[in-house]
């Protein structure tokens, strides 16, 4: 049995998942490959895309999804993660969790007899990163491109480092000092990059980092759970906004990506979100198609 807690968990399957997603996208209702399978979805934090795309994915594949907010579960009243996990394994075929602490998802998976999927933690957002790589290939027809992530080296950035280095994509992270991605993840990505022939860089210099970028990616400056640091973050990240001036420093055919939700006027400007180079809405749609491929890979064969 396989879990998807980190992008590293599917390093052997990544190209199969991306190819399967392409097939599934062509015929959204034509593959009832999870007939009678049930996915439980536990949310400790808010979600629009992750919740809806997983729920619709299960329905289109012939299965069913259960939305479970932590506050409605006994988990929210202190029932142990271990006990929740053991019990859920008796009812459902897979569990997707969006949690505050990555270690809680790891703990849940350790006690689960069914596959567990990370729907975002403080450390990673693997489903998002796989979607992003898929979207880049869809737009650029190759993985051999240069992706520049601008802003906070957060969960999305961490998973993108792992996914891009696995498929042979160059990635530069442009962020202020002390907002770098996780050190262990950078090292892991560099080791993947050695094998795949790509380059991983981290810099504080935005014009340096964005030069030659084929993809310009950003995410919020204040992630869920970091609201008490808002003032400090807005100040420190102020020079790392993706606006038209910055976008002009990238390659002329660069695409713009954002995992959403976006805060216009902070990490990105309205004109960039809605410009012709923006791939943001296709990227959001692709969560549905890529997650179907993830679900089939984990639940279909289990
Ligand atoms: N990108 C993303 O995961 O969006 P949600 O928080 O709306 O699920
Ligand atoms: N970094 C953001 C991503 C939201 C999808 C957060 O964790 O809130």
């Amino acid at each position: 049995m396989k879990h998807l807690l980190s992008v590293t968990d599917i390093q052997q399957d990544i190209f199969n998942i991306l190819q399967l997603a392409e097939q599934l996208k062509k015929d959204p209702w034509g593959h009832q490959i999870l007939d009678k399978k049930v996915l439980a979805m536990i949310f400790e934090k808010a979600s629009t895309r992750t919740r809806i795309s997983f729920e619709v994915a299960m329905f289109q594949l012939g299965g069913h999804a259960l939305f479970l907010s932590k506050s409605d579960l006994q988990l929210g009243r202190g029932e142990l993660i271990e006990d929740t996990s053991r019990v859920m394994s008796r009812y459902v075929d897979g569990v997707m969790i969006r949690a505050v602490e990555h270690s809680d998802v790891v703990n849940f998976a350790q006690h689960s007899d069914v596959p567990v999927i990370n729907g975002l933690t403080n450390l990673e957002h693997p489903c998002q990163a796989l979607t992003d790589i898929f979207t880049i290939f869809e737009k650029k027809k190759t993985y051999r491109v240069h992706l520049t992530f601008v802003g906070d080296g957060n969960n999305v950035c961490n998973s993108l480092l792992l996914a891009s280095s696995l498929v042979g994509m160059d990635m530069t992270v442009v962020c202020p000092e002390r907002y770098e991605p996780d050190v262990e993840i950078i090292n892991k990505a560099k080791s993947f990059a050695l094998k795949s022939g790509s380059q991983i860089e981290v810099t504080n210099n935005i014009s340096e980092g964005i030069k030659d970028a084929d993809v310009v990616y950003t995410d919020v400056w204040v992630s869920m759970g970091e609201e008490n640091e808002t003032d400090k973050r807005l100040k420190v990240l102020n020079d790392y906004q993706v606006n038209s001036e910055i976008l002009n420093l990238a390659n002329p055919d660069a695409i713009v990506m954002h995992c959403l939700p976006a805060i216009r006027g902070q990490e990105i400007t309205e004109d960039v979100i809605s410009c012709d180079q923006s791939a943001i809405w296709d990227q959001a749609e692709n969560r549905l198609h890529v997650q179907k491929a993830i679900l089939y890979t984990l639940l279909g064969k289990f």
Side-chain angles (χ1 to χ4, degrees):
M1 193 214 354
K2 201 182 237 321
H3 301 298
L4 172 52
L5 310 186
S6 160
V7 172
T8 55
D9 294 333
I10 43 96
Q11 51 185 293
Q12 312 299 340
D13 309 285
I14 190 162
F15 287 110
N16 288 340
I17 290 174
L18 293 165
Q19 276 160 19
L20 179 59
E22 202 181 331
Q23 284 172 34
L24 295 171
K25 184 170 180 176
K26 286 181 191 145
D27 187 6
W29 289 94
H31 307 271
Q32 303 279 298
I33 49 185
L34 290 183
D35 183 35
K36 300 193 181 68
K37 300 272 186 189
V38 177
L39 177 76
M41 308 188 299
I42 303 175
F43 283 90
E44 283 187 15
K45 293 176 172 183
S47 170
T48 297
R49 283 142 288 270
T50 306
R51 182 202 167 162
I52 299 172
S53 55
F54 266 110
E55 193 161 335
V56 172
M58 284 304 291
F59 185 53
Q60 289 186 350
L61 294 175
H64 183 71
L66 295 167
F67 170 75
L68 305 164
S69 147
K70 184 184 172 183
S71 56
D72 296 332
L73 293 171
Q74 295 289 6
L75 192 58
R77 293 182 58 248
E79 184 169 15
L80 292 180
I81 290 173
E82 295 89 312
D83 291 354
T84 309
S85 174
R86 288 184 186 107
V87 170
M88 285 179 82
S89 292
R90 305 290 177 107
Y91 297 134
V92 300
D93 303 286
V95 180
M96 190 240 78
I97 315 182
R98 168 165 288 194
V100 175
E101 297 297 333
H102 191 79
S103 55
D104 285 346
V105 177
V106 172
N107 188 14
F108 194 102
Q110 275 164 356
H111 295 89
S112 177
D113 295 328
V114 297
V116 175
I117 300 171
N118 174 358
L120 181 146
T121 63
N122 57 329
L123 188 67
E124 277 207 53
H125 196 359
C127 299
Q128 180 70 54
L130 287 173
T131 297
D132 300 337
I133 298 298
F134 176 85
T135 306
I136 293 168
F137 185 81
E138 192 175 52
K139 301 284 174 195
K140 297 286 180 187
K141 314 288 179 228
T142 173
Y143 296 113
R144 295 276 166 197
V145 295
H146 178 204
L147 160 65
T148 295
F149 182 99
V150 183
D152 178 26
N154 60 16
N155 44 7
V156 170
C157 180
N158 285 334
S159 288
L160 272 173
L161 277 167
L162 296 169
S164 59
S165 57
L166 277 173
V167 300
M169 192 176 285
D170 295 336
M171 180 163 166
T172 303
V173 179
V174 179
C175 58
E177 265 176 51
R178 291 187 297 282
Y179 288 78
E180 287 92 359
D182 182 83
V183 176
E184 276 177 36
I185 289 192
I186 296 176
N187 290 337
K188 192 94 198 156
K190 284 188 172 165
S191 76
F192 289 151
L194 271 181
K195 282 193 213 136
S196 70
S198 72
Q199 297 229 328
I200 299 296
E201 308 277 349
V202 180
T203 174
N204 306 135
N205 184 326
I206 192 163
S207 43
E208 190 67 23
I210 210 153
K211 205 171 48 181
D212 303 325
D214 302 302
V215 181
V216 178
Y217 197 119
T218 190
D219 183 18
V220 286
W221 289 343
V222 183
S223 284
M224 289 181 276
E226 295 173 342
E227 289 80 4
N228 59 346
E229 296 177 19
T230 301
D231 291 348
K232 183 177 86 179
R233 287 177 159 271
L234 297 196
K235 241 182 248 158
V236 177
L237 285 148
N238 190 43
D239 294 335
Y240 293 83
Q241 183 186 66
V242 175
N243 50 41
S244 52
E245 202 182 314
I246 287 299
L247 185 58
N248 281 338
L249 302 175
N251 283 338
D253 62 349
I255 57 169
V256 177
M257 299 181 75
H258 192 309
C259 59
L260 300 175
I263 313 256
R264 290 159 170 83
Q266 289 187 14
E267 77 279 0
I268 195 163
T269 51
E270 168 58 35
D271 57 335
V272 170
I273 288 187
S274 54
C275 74
D276 290 345
Q277 289 165 262
S278 169
I280 292 172
W281 311 117
D282 290 336
Q283 177 187 3
E285 179 193 323
N286 284 337
R287 292 290 303 276
L288 171 63
H289 310 300
V290 174
Q291 275 152 206
K292 281 181 171 176
I294 292 170
L295 285 165
Y296 179 67
T297 305
L298 268 66
L299 275 60
K301 298 170 186 167
F302 171 58

